[in-house]
Amino acid sequence: MEGQSSPCHNTTDKKLTELALLYQFSTTLLSTIRLNKLTHLILTALTSGSSPLFERAMLFLHNEKSHTLQGMLGVTNGTSENLIVVGSSANPLSSRWDISDEVISRQRATEFCNRIRATRIDIDGSCDIINRVMTRNSLFHTDEASNDNCPACNSLRNLGVTVFAAVPLLSRDKNLGMIAVDNPLSGNRITLDDLHFLQLLANQAAMAIENSMLYNRIEEAHSNLRDARERLVRGERLAAVGEMAAKLAHELKNPLITIGGFARRLLKTLVSNSREHRYADTISKEVDRLEKMLTDILTFSSKPMICFNYAHCDLEEILKECFEICSAPLDDNNISLVTSFEGGPWTVLGDAHQLKQVFLNLILNASESMESGGTLTVSLKKAVRDKETVIVSIRDTGGGIHPDMMKRIFDPFFTTKPKGTGLGLAIVKRILMNHNGAIEAANQDQGAVFRVRLPLA
Ligand SMILES: Nc1ncnc2c1ncn2[C@@H]1O[C@H](COP(=O)(O)OP(=O)(O)O)[C@@H](O)[C@H]1O
Ligand SMILES: [Mg+2]
């Protein structure tokens, strides 16, 4: 390190060198805001060069929550080469140091550093040494013997640190932690002068560390704010789109019903198997599909579906009604139905119409997944642990759900079907939430299983 290798002949020379060093140190710290780099620069400056200030330096930061000192970094003279001088290397007053990312990662990879980083020192349970640095904010000098029974001294001794000195990191009224130094190779005594100089450096370091921490906090707050704003804008936009969709769906529904009605009337009058009959049939089927889609959109975009028609509903009855409604698609797809409704009664408090919608959607999805036949198994049973909860399980043999899509199937508008709306499961989830229930999907055997939980009345 610049200025350190020249021997000091007298006190004035030494003081001048130290002053230049301090100046260079503070210029260096002012130019760095990244906490990680800052800590490496600080410890490297303390241990760098052929005649370093100290052979090893360790940084511990105060964790206010756990009231511990947390090891952050350890640098030894062996790994502290390569401080880069930026500016004129001949003039310490117009230059600063820098450190490369490669040196930083090399320092980080040493065993010494890893051991420091794994160290936690309980401040309250410590002996006078740590207490003096952390509570009374004063420096610790090596001449004093460390306490054999102290856990803090022991954790340092375990790091091979026996004779050492430590100074607090003071910034304004706060104690941010401590820097400890030692000379294990030469065994050179750390003088009180050395220690006072270390305290000067540590004060600069503490200020820089605090600034960097504050900067990080501002950055984090800024990024949180940006995220929140984006979410808000997106939410507002979605709400506007939803409102427009609802309006559109509402406007479209009436003419569609008229078209469907006329198409069905035409079907009755036209000769079957004629071309016109086929056309009218297509119109009628497409209108049905569009109507269903509009109903889904209207259901989903209506304000939260809090049910006002709370009543005692029999789940078994609701399911049986659903089977009846779905009998055509189930038969068309050659799907056999297996049910198991032992026990009961399965009474829940809720809106029967909405609950029917839940099971209809699940049964239709299952039937759509088994277009070339299969088995639909529907069962009702009590939850294993919670006897106040009923689990309705709807299982198919339609090949299941791709694991990549599992997370998204309940998202509104997520669909893998060419003519799907992607609203079925989103509606299901919302209705169940309003009934204090829940739903989960999984793959089982040759298909998917949806388990609905509802609190029993
Ligand atoms: N029983 C099931 N088997 C396989 N995939 C399913 C099943 N139920 C739902 N899915 C998947 O979840 C997606 C979303 O379902 P849903 O919200 O009902 O919308 P849609 O049926 O209109 O596609 C479906 O497109 C499908 O990929
Ligand atoms: Mg669906």
Side-chain angles (χ1 to χ4, degrees):
M1 197 163 65
E2 203 65 27
Q4 266 176 271
S5 45
S6 58
C8 308
H9 295 299
N10 56 48
T11 326
T12 320
D13 266 0
K14 187 170 180 225
K15 287 286 164 221
L16 270 176
T17 314
E18 280 184 358
L19 212 58
L21 205 63
L22 189 65
Y23 187 83
Q24 209 167 9
F25 189 71
S26 97
T27 321
T28 302
L29 299 192
L30 277 176
S31 70
T32 314
I33 199 75
R34 257 174 57 211
L35 185 62
N36 185 34
K37 186 169 181 179
L38 200 61
T39 56
H40 279 266
L41 274 169
I42 293 165
L43 296 199
T44 311
L46 294 177
T47 52
S48 157
S50 52
S51 57
L53 289 171
F54 308 99
E55 285 165 17
R56 297 197 299 192
M58 296 144 257
L59 174 73
F60 297 86
L61 287 184
H62 182 192
N63 183 331
E64 283 177 19
K65 270 194 214 125
S66 56
H67 206 46
T68 50
L69 275 175
Q70 190 167 329
M72 300 301 290
L73 182 64
V75 172
T76 64
N77 177 241
T79 55
S80 64
E81 76 282 25
N82 292 344
L83 267 187
I84 306 158
V85 179
V86 181
S88 150
S89 57
N91 180 7
L93 297 187
S94 66
S95 64
R96 62 179 174 86
W97 301 307
D98 200 357
I99 193 165
S100 70
D101 288 341
E102 191 241 320
V103 173
I104 288 181
S105 27
R106 204 148 21 96
Q107 288 179 335
R108 223 146 241 256
T110 61
E111 208 218 322
F112 177 63
C113 184
N114 282 329
R115 277 164 56 203
I116 296 285
R117 287 173 64 78
T119 304
R120 305 277 178 281
I121 301 173
D122 187 8
I123 295 175
D124 290 331
S126 322
C127 70
D128 199 40
I129 295 174
I130 301 296
N131 253 321
R132 179 159 357 150
V133 180
M134 291 309 297
T135 317
R136 278 177 270 143
N137 299 338
S138 52
L139 29 92
F140 164 70
H141 190 224
T142 46
D143 282 351
E144 297 154 67
S146 63
N147 185 347
D148 273 345
N149 296 322
C150 162
C153 294
N154 279 335
S155 44
L156 286 171
R157 209 172 294 125
N158 287 342
L159 294 167
V161 180
T162 45
V163 181
F164 69 101
V167 293
L169 282 167
L170 299 172
S171 177
R172 274 166 281 186
D173 295 335
K174 260 170 94 181
N175 188 334
L176 304 177
M178 73 172 195
I179 291 181
V181 291
D182 68 352
N183 295 325
L185 289 181
S186 62
N188 280 349
R189 197 170 157 273
I190 297 172
T191 64
L192 209 54
D193 256 7
D194 291 338
L195 210 53
H196 283 143
F197 185 58
L198 177 63
Q199 184 67 73
L200 280 180
L201 293 177
N203 289 350
Q204 302 275 333
M207 219 144 40
I209 288 176
E210 196 187 15
N211 280 343
S212 167
M213 283 171 160
L214 286 176
Y215 181 82
N216 281 353
R217 229 171 289 158
I218 291 174
E219 278 250 293
E220 199 181 315
H222 184 73
S223 131
N224 284 347
L225 211 64
R226 202 173 36 212
D227 286 355
R229 198 184 52 195
E230 257 163 37
R231 270 202 305 275
L232 208 69
V233 170
R234 196 163 158 261
E236 240 165 49
R237 213 180 294 147
L238 276 181
V241 171
E243 207 168 296
M244 195 183 74
K247 250 186 213 153
L248 205 63
H250 193 79
E251 286 296 316
L252 287 176
K253 210 157 173 189
N254 286 338
L256 213 56
I257 289 172
T258 316
I259 296 170
F262 281 129
R264 273 189 293 276
R265 243 198 266 173
L266 273 178
L267 269 180
K268 280 189 202 139
T269 54
L270 291 167
V271 187
S272 51
N273 286 336
S274 70
R275 206 164 21 158
E276 288 75 13
H277 188 279
R278 269 206 327 275
Y279 292 161
D281 189 40
T282 309
I283 294 174
S284 159
K285 278 187 183 141
E286 287 296 292
V287 165
D288 280 351
R289 192 173 68 78
L290 286 177
E291 247 187 86
K292 192 188 159 299
M293 193 190 269
L294 292 183
T295 310
D296 277 356
I297 291 175
L298 279 172
T299 317
F300 187 74
S301 57
S302 65
K303 293 281 176 288
M305 293 176 282
I306 308 282
C307 23
F308 296 108
N309 308 328
Y310 262 164
H312 283 91
C313 321
D314 181 357
L315 281 185
E316 193 172 333
E317 213 171 276
I318 290 180
L319 282 170
K320 281 180 178 157
E321 277 174 44
C322 292
F323 298 148
E324 234 176 83
I325 298 171
C326 296
S327 61
L330 290 177
D331 285 348
D332 288 352
N333 286 354
N334 208 2
I335 294 165
S336 49
L337 179 66
V338 179
T339 57
S340 125
F341 298 159
E342 289 129 47
W346 306 104
T347 316
V348 298
L349 210 55
D351 182 323
H353 176 73
Q354 291 188 12
L355 290 174
K356 202 151 87 180
Q357 218 178 333
V358 166
F359 299 114
L360 275 179
N361 273 328
L362 294 176
I363 294 169
L364 283 177
N365 274 350
S367 114
E368 280 161 5
S369 78
M370 299 185 284
E371 276 178 334
S372 41
T375 308
L376 175 69
T377 313
V378 180
S379 72
L380 277 169
K381 61 171 185 275
K382 280 191 179 166
V384 181
R385 259 172 251 135
D386 176 10
K387 296 292 169 216
E388 303 294 302
T389 298
V390 54
I391 295 182
V392 190
S393 129
I394 292 156
R395 182 153 62 92
D396 61 58
T397 54
I401 301 155
H402 194 282
D404 290 348
M405 291 170 184
M406 201 53 111
K407 274 207 296 273
R408 299 170 55 200
I409 56 171
F410 292 100
D411 290 351
F413 305 111
F414 175 81
T415 180
T416 52
K417 299 166 193 168
K419 289 184 175 175
T421 60
L423 285 173
L425 289 179
I427 291 172
V428 164
K429 192 168 174 184
R430 197 190 285 179
I431 293 177
L432 288 173
M433 247 166 56
N434 289 337
H435 282 77
N436 292 324
I439 182 166
E440 59 179 35
N443 285 320
Q444 189 181 326
D445 303 329
Q446 311 119 13
V449 55
F450 285 82
R451 290 193 194 90
V452 170
R453 299 173 147 264
L454 281 166
L456 281 167

